[in-house]
Amino acid sequence: MNLPDNEVEIIRFGAILHDVGKIAVPSNLLRKSEPITDEEYWEIKKHVEAGAKLLERTGLLEEAIPAGALPRRTLGWSH
């Protein structure tokens, strides 16, 4: 992809942390073997915002990624 090292590091960091919010999703829902309902799907999708809030409180994002370096969507907050 021929990206600068700093951009590769930002992408790597985002890949590591993109699902951290799943800690807020009930484990029985994450481990469900049957198809999920529409309601369950939207419950799981809440992990994106939960992860963003968690990381914002820790200050990890500010330390690792310079302000304005990439839009939040780039890091997967809206997948």
Side-chain angles (χ1 to χ4, degrees):
M1 291 174 49
N2 201 23
L3 297 172
D5 289 345
N6 66 323
E7 288 186 30
V8 171
E9 188 64 18
I10 291 169
I11 293 167
R12 187 185 72 77
F13 187 72
I16 291 169
L17 295 176
H18 83 279
D19 275 341
V20 72
K22 284 187 178 176
I23 196 167
V25 177
S27 59
N28 63 324
L29 185 53
L30 292 174
R31 293 187 181 127
K32 186 175 178 180
S33 59
E34 306 87 34
I36 59 172
T37 65
D38 288 343
E39 184 178 313
E40 291 169 329
Y41 171 79
W42 290 108
E43 185 66 28
I44 291 170
K45 288 287 283 184
K46 291 178 185 178
H47 84 279
V48 175
E49 188 61 31
K53 287 179 182 179
L54 175 68
L55 293 172
E56 286 170 358
R57 283 195 308 258
T58 66
L60 274 173
L61 293 182
E62 289 79 16
E63 289 181 26
I65 301 170
L70 289 175
R72 292 177 87 183
R73 289 184 184 278
T74 306
L75 295 175
W77 298 142
S78 63
H79 73 87

mmCIF file of all heavy atoms in Angstrom, residues 27-64:
data_model
loop_
_atom_site.group_PDB
_atom_site.id
_atom_site.type_symbol
_atom_site.label_atom_id
_atom_site.label_comp_id
_atom_site.label_asym_id
_atom_site.label_seq_id
_atom_site.Cartn_x
_atom_site.Cartn_y
_atom_site.Cartn_z
ATOM 1 N N SER A 27 -22.159 -11.555 27.051
ATOM 2 C CA SER A 27 -21.404 -12.658 26.446
ATOM 3 C C SER A 27 -22.310 -13.714 25.821
ATOM 4 O O SER A 27 -21.958 -14.307 24.806
ATOM 5 C CB SER A 27 -20.461 -13.301 27.463
ATOM 6 O OG SER A 27 -21.179 -13.800 28.560
ATOM 7 N N ASN A 28 -23.499 -13.927 26.402
ATOM 8 C CA ASN A 28 -24.396 -14.923 25.810
ATOM 9 C C ASN A 28 -24.840 -14.501 24.411
ATOM 10 O O ASN A 28 -25.070 -15.340 23.548
ATOM 11 C CB ASN A 28 -25.602 -15.194 26.708
ATOM 12 C CG ASN A 28 -26.474 -13.971 26.917
ATOM 13 O OD1 ASN A 28 -25.988 -12.842 27.012
ATOM 14 N ND2 ASN A 28 -27.773 -14.183 27.007
ATOM 15 N N LEU A 29 -24.908 -13.206 24.165
ATOM 16 C CA LEU A 29 -25.272 -12.724 22.840
ATOM 17 C C LEU A 29 -24.104 -12.892 21.870
ATOM 18 O O LEU A 29 -24.293 -13.300 20.723
ATOM 19 C CB LEU A 29 -25.700 -11.257 22.919
ATOM 20 C CG LEU A 29 -26.216 -10.613 21.652
ATOM 21 C CD1 LEU A 29 -27.339 -11.433 21.024
ATOM 22 C CD2 LEU A 29 -26.685 -9.207 21.941
ATOM 23 N N LEU A 30 -22.903 -12.623 22.323
ATOM 24 C CA LEU A 30 -21.727 -12.785 21.465
ATOM 25 C C LEU A 30 -21.468 -14.244 21.111
ATOM 26 O O LEU A 30 -20.938 -14.544 20.048
ATOM 27 C CB LEU A 30 -20.488 -12.196 22.140
ATOM 28 C CG LEU A 30 -20.473 -10.684 22.306
ATOM 29 C CD1 LEU A 30 -19.259 -10.266 23.114
ATOM 30 C CD2 LEU A 30 -20.496 -9.993 20.959
ATOM 31 N N ARG A 31 -21.858 -15.150 22.010
ATOM 32 C CA ARG A 31 -21.599 -16.579 21.803
ATOM 33 C C ARG A 31 -22.794 -17.328 21.225
ATOM 34 O O ARG A 31 -22.739 -18.549 21.062
ATOM 35 C CB ARG A 31 -21.203 -17.215 23.135
ATOM 36 C CG ARG A 31 -19.887 -16.713 23.647
ATOM 37 C CD ARG A 31 -19.469 -17.484 24.876
ATOM 38 N NE ARG A 31 -18.214 -16.959 25.360
ATOM 39 C CZ ARG A 31 -17.986 -16.563 26.591
ATOM 40 N NH1 ARG A 31 -18.947 -16.656 27.499
ATOM 41 N NH2 ARG A 31 -16.814 -16.094 26.948
ATOM 42 N N LYS A 32 -23.841 -16.632 20.924
ATOM 43 C CA LYS A 32 -25.065 -17.263 20.446
ATOM 44 C C LYS A 32 -24.791 -18.037 19.157
ATOM 45 O O LYS A 32 -24.205 -17.516 18.215
ATOM 46 C CB LYS A 32 -26.128 -16.182 20.208
ATOM 47 C CG LYS A 32 -27.474 -16.722 19.853
ATOM 48 C CD LYS A 32 -28.501 -15.613 19.759
ATOM 49 C CE LYS A 32 -29.834 -16.200 19.346
ATOM 50 N NZ LYS A 32 -30.864 -15.165 19.241
ATOM 51 N N SER A 33 -25.226 -19.284 19.118
ATOM 52 C CA SER A 33 -24.978 -20.113 17.937
ATOM 53 C C SER A 33 -26.105 -20.014 16.902
ATOM 54 O O SER A 33 -25.886 -20.279 15.732
ATOM 55 C CB SER A 33 -24.760 -21.573 18.340
ATOM 56 O OG SER A 33 -25.885 -22.067 19.019
ATOM 57 N N GLU A 34 -27.290 -19.612 17.351
ATOM 58 C CA GLU A 34 -28.409 -19.450 16.415
ATOM 59 C C GLU A 34 -28.305 -18.082 15.750
ATOM 60 O O GLU A 34 -27.619 -17.196 16.233
ATOM 61 C CB GLU A 34 -29.757 -19.520 17.158
ATOM 62 C CG GLU A 34 -29.970 -20.741 17.999
ATOM 63 C CD GLU A 34 -29.405 -20.566 19.405
ATOM 64 O OE1 GLU A 34 -29.436 -19.455 19.945
ATOM 65 O OE2 GLU A 34 -28.904 -21.551 19.936
ATOM 66 N N PRO A 35 -29.020 -17.911 14.659
ATOM 67 C CA PRO A 35 -29.039 -16.586 14.025
ATOM 68 C C PRO A 35 -29.558 -15.533 15.014
ATOM 69 O O PRO A 35 -30.444 -15.809 15.821
ATOM 70 C CB PRO A 35 -29.996 -16.750 12.851
ATOM 71 C CG PRO A 35 -30.018 -18.217 12.568
ATOM 72 C CD PRO A 35 -29.804 -18.890 13.898
ATOM 73 N N ILE A 36 -29.005 -14.340 14.937
ATOM 74 C CA ILE A 36 -29.459 -13.283 15.831
ATOM 75 C C ILE A 36 -30.654 -12.555 15.224
ATOM 76 O O ILE A 36 -30.842 -12.519 14.015
ATOM 77 C CB ILE A 36 -28.326 -12.280 16.135
ATOM 78 C CG1 ILE A 36 -27.799 -11.617 14.858
ATOM 79 C CG2 ILE A 36 -27.207 -12.950 16.905
ATOM 80 C CD1 ILE A 36 -26.817 -10.493 15.093
ATOM 81 N N THR A 37 -31.461 -11.992 16.101
ATOM 82 C CA THR A 37 -32.624 -11.214 15.662
ATOM 83 C C THR A 37 -32.168 -9.800 15.279
ATOM 84 O O THR A 37 -31.029 -9.405 15.570
ATOM 85 C CB THR A 37 -33.663 -11.112 16.794
ATOM 86 O OG1 THR A 37 -33.085 -10.358 17.866
ATOM 87 C CG2 THR A 37 -34.084 -12.495 17.294
ATOM 88 N N ASP A 38 -33.063 -9.060 14.667
ATOM 89 C CA ASP A 38 -32.747 -7.663 14.347
ATOM 90 C C ASP A 38 -32.430 -6.873 15.614
ATOM 91 O O ASP A 38 -31.502 -6.067 15.642
ATOM 92 C CB ASP A 38 -33.906 -6.994 13.610
ATOM 93 C CG ASP A 38 -34.060 -7.486 12.182
ATOM 94 O OD1 ASP A 38 -33.109 -8.099 11.641
ATOM 95 O OD2 ASP A 38 -35.133 -7.256 11.594
ATOM 96 N N GLU A 39 -33.187 -7.106 16.652
ATOM 97 C CA GLU A 39 -32.954 -6.411 17.934
ATOM 98 C C GLU A 39 -31.571 -6.756 18.486
ATOM 99 O O GLU A 39 -30.852 -5.876 18.965
ATOM 100 C CB GLU A 39 -34.042 -6.799 18.927
ATOM 101 C CG GLU A 39 -33.941 -6.073 20.244
ATOM 102 C CD GLU A 39 -35.070 -6.445 21.192
ATOM 103 O OE1 GLU A 39 -36.231 -6.447 20.753
ATOM 104 O OE2 GLU A 39 -34.761 -6.729 22.359
ATOM 105 N N GLU A 40 -31.202 -8.025 18.422
ATOM 106 C CA GLU A 40 -29.882 -8.444 18.908
ATOM 107 C C GLU A 40 -28.760 -7.838 18.058
ATOM 108 O O GLU A 40 -27.715 -7.448 18.583
ATOM 109 C CB GLU A 40 -29.781 -9.970 18.916
ATOM 110 C CG GLU A 40 -30.661 -10.614 19.960
ATOM 111 C CD GLU A 40 -30.773 -12.115 19.792
ATOM 112 O OE1 GLU A 40 -30.696 -12.610 18.637
ATOM 113 O OE2 GLU A 40 -30.947 -12.797 20.816
ATOM 114 N N TYR A 41 -29.002 -7.754 16.762
ATOM 115 C CA TYR A 41 -28.021 -7.145 15.880
ATOM 116 C C TYR A 41 -27.719 -5.717 16.320
ATOM 117 O O TYR A 41 -26.568 -5.316 16.429
ATOM 118 C CB TYR A 41 -28.539 -7.151 14.441
ATOM 119 C CG TYR A 41 -27.686 -6.355 13.483
ATOM 120 C CD1 TYR A 41 -26.515 -6.883 12.970
ATOM 121 C CD2 TYR A 41 -28.045 -5.066 13.111
ATOM 122 C CE1 TYR A 41 -25.720 -6.152 12.088
ATOM 123 C CE2 TYR A 41 -27.269 -4.327 12.235
ATOM 124 C CZ TYR A 41 -26.109 -4.872 11.727
ATOM 125 O OH TYR A 41 -25.324 -4.144 10.880
ATOM 126 N N TRP A 42 -28.776 -4.934 16.586
ATOM 127 C CA TRP A 42 -28.578 -3.543 16.994
ATOM 128 C C TRP A 42 -27.957 -3.451 18.377
ATOM 129 O O TRP A 42 -27.215 -2.512 18.666
ATOM 130 C CB TRP A 42 -29.878 -2.764 16.872
ATOM 131 C CG TRP A 42 -30.224 -2.585 15.434
ATOM 132 C CD1 TRP A 42 -31.234 -3.200 14.737
ATOM 133 C CD2 TRP A 42 -29.505 -1.805 14.478
ATOM 134 N NE1 TRP A 42 -31.188 -2.837 13.410
ATOM 135 C CE2 TRP A 42 -30.134 -1.977 13.224
ATOM 136 C CE3 TRP A 42 -28.392 -0.971 14.552
ATOM 137 C CZ2 TRP A 42 -29.693 -1.342 12.065
ATOM 138 C CZ3 TRP A 42 -27.948 -0.342 13.394
ATOM 139 C CH2 TRP A 42 -28.591 -0.529 12.173
ATOM 140 N N GLU A 43 -28.231 -4.420 19.219
ATOM 141 C CA GLU A 43 -27.580 -4.456 20.537
ATOM 142 C C GLU A 43 -26.072 -4.667 20.382
ATOM 143 O O GLU A 43 -25.269 -4.010 21.035
ATOM 144 C CB GLU A 43 -28.198 -5.569 21.397
ATOM 145 C CG GLU A 43 -27.687 -5.620 22.801
ATOM 146 C CD GLU A 43 -28.073 -4.406 23.638
ATOM 147 O OE1 GLU A 43 -29.117 -3.780 23.362
ATOM 148 O OE2 GLU A 43 -27.321 -4.085 24.566
ATOM 149 N N ILE A 44 -25.697 -5.563 19.496
ATOM 150 C CA ILE A 44 -24.273 -5.812 19.239
ATOM 151 C C ILE A 44 -23.621 -4.577 18.615
ATOM 152 O O ILE A 44 -22.486 -4.229 18.957
ATOM 153 C CB ILE A 44 -24.084 -7.055 18.342
ATOM 154 C CG1 ILE A 44 -24.478 -8.324 19.104
ATOM 155 C CG2 ILE A 44 -22.644 -7.159 17.847
ATOM 156 C CD1 ILE A 44 -24.554 -9.574 18.260
ATOM 157 N N LYS A 45 -24.307 -3.904 17.721
ATOM 158 C CA LYS A 45 -23.751 -2.718 17.069
ATOM 159 C C LYS A 45 -23.397 -1.617 18.071
ATOM 160 O O LYS A 45 -22.565 -0.763 17.786
ATOM 161 C CB LYS A 45 -24.722 -2.159 16.030
ATOM 162 C CG LYS A 45 -24.868 -2.991 14.787
ATOM 163 C CD LYS A 45 -23.662 -2.906 13.902
ATOM 164 C CE LYS A 45 -23.658 -1.604 13.134
ATOM 165 N NZ LYS A 45 -22.564 -1.505 12.181
ATOM 166 N N LYS A 46 -24.016 -1.635 19.249
ATOM 167 C CA LYS A 46 -23.717 -0.626 20.268
ATOM 168 C C LYS A 46 -22.275 -0.714 20.752
ATOM 169 O O LYS A 46 -21.779 0.207 21.392
ATOM 170 C CB LYS A 46 -24.675 -0.758 21.448
ATOM 171 C CG LYS A 46 -26.097 -0.376 21.121
ATOM 172 C CD LYS A 46 -26.980 -0.579 22.334
ATOM 173 C CE LYS A 46 -28.438 -0.319 22.015
ATOM 174 N NZ LYS A 46 -29.283 -0.570 23.190
ATOM 175 N N HIS A 47 -21.590 -1.822 20.444
ATOM 176 C CA HIS A 47 -20.217 -1.961 20.914
ATOM 177 C C HIS A 47 -19.300 -0.901 20.318
ATOM 178 O O HIS A 47 -18.300 -0.531 20.909
ATOM 179 C CB HIS A 47 -19.668 -3.369 20.618
ATOM 180 C CG HIS A 47 -19.117 -3.560 19.235
ATOM 181 N ND1 HIS A 47 -19.910 -3.817 18.142
ATOM 182 C CD2 HIS A 47 -17.840 -3.521 18.781
ATOM 183 C CE1 HIS A 47 -19.146 -3.936 17.066
ATOM 184 N NE2 HIS A 47 -17.884 -3.756 17.421
ATOM 185 N N VAL A 48 -19.660 -0.387 19.171
ATOM 186 C CA VAL A 48 -18.839 0.635 18.522
ATOM 187 C C VAL A 48 -18.781 1.889 19.394
ATOM 188 O O VAL A 48 -17.699 2.394 19.712
ATOM 189 C CB VAL A 48 -19.389 0.957 17.117
ATOM 190 C CG1 VAL A 48 -18.616 2.100 16.490
ATOM 191 C CG2 VAL A 48 -19.363 -0.284 16.235
ATOM 192 N N GLU A 49 -19.943 2.378 19.785
ATOM 193 C CA GLU A 49 -19.993 3.582 20.618
ATOM 194 C C GLU A 49 -19.430 3.304 22.015
ATOM 195 O O GLU A 49 -18.735 4.145 22.584
ATOM 196 C CB GLU A 49 -21.423 4.105 20.713
ATOM 197 C CG GLU A 49 -21.526 5.448 21.391
ATOM 198 C CD GLU A 49 -20.777 6.561 20.679
ATOM 199 O OE1 GLU A 49 -20.643 6.532 19.441
ATOM 200 O OE2 GLU A 49 -20.310 7.483 21.369
ATOM 201 N N ALA A 50 -19.712 2.122 22.560
ATOM 202 C CA ALA A 50 -19.173 1.775 23.879
ATOM 203 C C ALA A 50 -17.648 1.778 23.853
ATOM 204 O O ALA A 50 -16.997 2.275 24.779
ATOM 205 C CB ALA A 50 -19.693 0.401 24.322
ATOM 206 N N GLY A 51 -17.074 1.238 22.805
ATOM 207 C CA GLY A 51 -15.617 1.229 22.671
ATOM 208 C C GLY A 51 -15.043 2.615 22.526
ATOM 209 O O GLY A 51 -14.018 2.946 23.135
ATOM 210 N N ALA A 52 -15.700 3.452 21.748
ATOM 211 C CA ALA A 52 -15.227 4.828 21.565
ATOM 212 C C ALA A 52 -15.250 5.579 22.893
ATOM 213 O O ALA A 52 -14.281 6.261 23.242
ATOM 214 C CB ALA A 52 -16.088 5.541 20.533
ATOM 215 N N LYS A 53 -16.331 5.421 23.652
ATOM 216 C CA LYS A 53 -16.428 6.095 24.950
ATOM 217 C C LYS A 53 -15.357 5.589 25.909
ATOM 218 O O LYS A 53 -14.740 6.373 26.631
ATOM 219 C CB LYS A 53 -17.819 5.882 25.552
ATOM 220 C CG LYS A 53 -18.889 6.686 24.861
ATOM 221 C CD LYS A 53 -20.245 6.426 25.477
ATOM 222 C CE LYS A 53 -21.322 7.204 24.738
ATOM 223 N NZ LYS A 53 -22.654 6.940 25.300
ATOM 224 N N LEU A 54 -15.149 4.295 25.920
ATOM 225 C CA LEU A 54 -14.130 3.713 26.796
ATOM 226 C C LEU A 54 -12.747 4.261 26.462
ATOM 227 O O LEU A 54 -12.005 4.704 27.341
ATOM 228 C CB LEU A 54 -14.144 2.189 26.673
ATOM 229 C CG LEU A 54 -13.056 1.445 27.437
ATOM 230 C CD1 LEU A 54 -13.282 1.566 28.931
ATOM 231 C CD2 LEU A 54 -13.030 -0.013 27.020
ATOM 232 N N LEU A 55 -12.410 4.257 25.200
ATOM 233 C CA LEU A 55 -11.089 4.726 24.791
ATOM 234 C C LEU A 55 -10.928 6.223 25.010
ATOM 235 O O LEU A 55 -9.843 6.688 25.374
ATOM 236 C CB LEU A 55 -10.829 4.360 23.330
ATOM 237 C CG LEU A 55 -10.695 2.861 23.078
ATOM 238 C CD1 LEU A 55 -10.628 2.588 21.589
ATOM 239 C CD2 LEU A 55 -9.487 2.288 23.790
ATOM 240 N N GLU A 56 -11.984 6.982 24.825
ATOM 241 C CA GLU A 56 -11.906 8.419 25.079
ATOM 242 C C GLU A 56 -11.651 8.696 26.552
ATOM 243 O O GLU A 56 -10.880 9.586 26.895
ATOM 244 C CB GLU A 56 -13.182 9.117 24.607
ATOM 245 C CG GLU A 56 -13.253 9.220 23.098
ATOM 246 C CD GLU A 56 -14.605 9.686 22.576
ATOM 247 O OE1 GLU A 56 -15.544 9.912 23.383
ATOM 248 O OE2 GLU A 56 -14.730 9.820 21.349
ATOM 249 N N ARG A 57 -12.270 7.913 27.439
ATOM 250 C CA ARG A 57 -12.059 8.110 28.886
ATOM 251 C C ARG A 57 -10.638 7.766 29.306
ATOM 252 O O ARG A 57 -10.113 8.339 30.234
ATOM 253 C CB ARG A 57 -13.057 7.262 29.680
ATOM 254 C CG ARG A 57 -14.443 7.847 29.719
ATOM 255 C CD ARG A 57 -15.298 7.194 30.797
ATOM 256 N NE ARG A 57 -15.317 5.751 30.705
ATOM 257 C CZ ARG A 57 -16.309 5.026 30.201
ATOM 258 N NH1 ARG A 57 -17.366 5.614 29.724
ATOM 259 N NH2 ARG A 57 -16.247 3.726 30.177
ATOM 260 N N THR A 58 -10.026 6.803 28.636
ATOM 261 C CA THR A 58 -8.681 6.392 29.028
ATOM 262 C C THR A 58 -7.609 7.348 28.523
ATOM 263 O O THR A 58 -6.501 7.363 29.039
ATOM 264 C CB THR A 58 -8.331 4.991 28.476
ATOM 265 O OG1 THR A 58 -8.271 5.053 27.056
ATOM 266 C CG2 THR A 58 -9.322 3.937 28.937
ATOM 267 N N GLY A 59 -7.923 8.114 27.489
ATOM 268 C CA GLY A 59 -6.933 9.002 26.904
ATOM 269 C C GLY A 59 -6.009 8.296 25.927
ATOM 270 O O GLY A 59 -5.093 8.907 25.385
ATOM 271 N N LEU A 60 -6.245 7.019 25.697
ATOM 272 C CA LEU A 60 -5.378 6.259 24.785
ATOM 273 C C LEU A 60 -5.349 6.854 23.387
ATOM 274 O O LEU A 60 -4.302 6.917 22.763
ATOM 275 C CB LEU A 60 -5.847 4.809 24.682
ATOM 276 C CG LEU A 60 -5.329 3.842 25.716
ATOM 277 C CD1 LEU A 60 -6.019 2.494 25.568
ATOM 278 C CD2 LEU A 60 -3.835 3.686 25.613
ATOM 279 N N LEU A 61 -6.484 7.280 22.900
ATOM 280 C CA LEU A 61 -6.516 7.805 21.542
ATOM 281 C C LEU A 61 -5.711 9.081 21.405
ATOM 282 O O LEU A 61 -4.998 9.268 20.428
ATOM 283 C CB LEU A 61 -7.957 8.045 21.092
ATOM 284 C CG LEU A 61 -8.806 6.801 20.932
ATOM 285 C CD1 LEU A 61 -10.192 7.173 20.446
ATOM 286 C CD2 LEU A 61 -8.168 5.818 19.977
ATOM 287 N N GLU A 62 -5.814 9.956 22.385
ATOM 288 C CA GLU A 62 -5.086 11.214 22.310
ATOM 289 C C GLU A 62 -3.575 10.983 22.339
ATOM 290 O O GLU A 62 -2.814 11.690 21.699
ATOM 291 C CB GLU A 62 -5.481 12.146 23.458
ATOM 292 C CG GLU A 62 -6.881 12.710 23.311
ATOM 293 C CD GLU A 62 -7.972 11.737 23.729
ATOM 294 O OE1 GLU A 62 -7.680 10.739 24.419
ATOM 295 O OE2 GLU A 62 -9.121 11.964 23.341
ATOM 296 N N GLU A 63 -3.133 9.992 23.105
ATOM 297 C CA GLU A 63 -1.706 9.703 23.191
ATOM 298 C C GLU A 63 -1.189 9.023 21.932
ATOM 299 O O GLU A 63 -0.079 9.277 21.495
ATOM 300 C CB GLU A 63 -1.418 8.796 24.389
ATOM 301 C CG GLU A 63 -1.585 9.484 25.716
ATOM 302 C CD GLU A 63 -1.265 8.550 26.874
ATOM 303 O OE1 GLU A 63 -0.478 7.604 26.685
ATOM 304 O OE2 GLU A 63 -1.810 8.775 27.959
ATOM 305 N N ALA A 64 -1.994 8.165 21.350
ATOM 306 C CA ALA A 64 -1.518 7.355 20.233
ATOM 307 C C ALA A 64 -1.719 8.015 18.879
ATOM 308 O O ALA A 64 -0.954 7.781 17.962
ATOM 309 C CB ALA A 64 -2.223 5.999 20.244
#
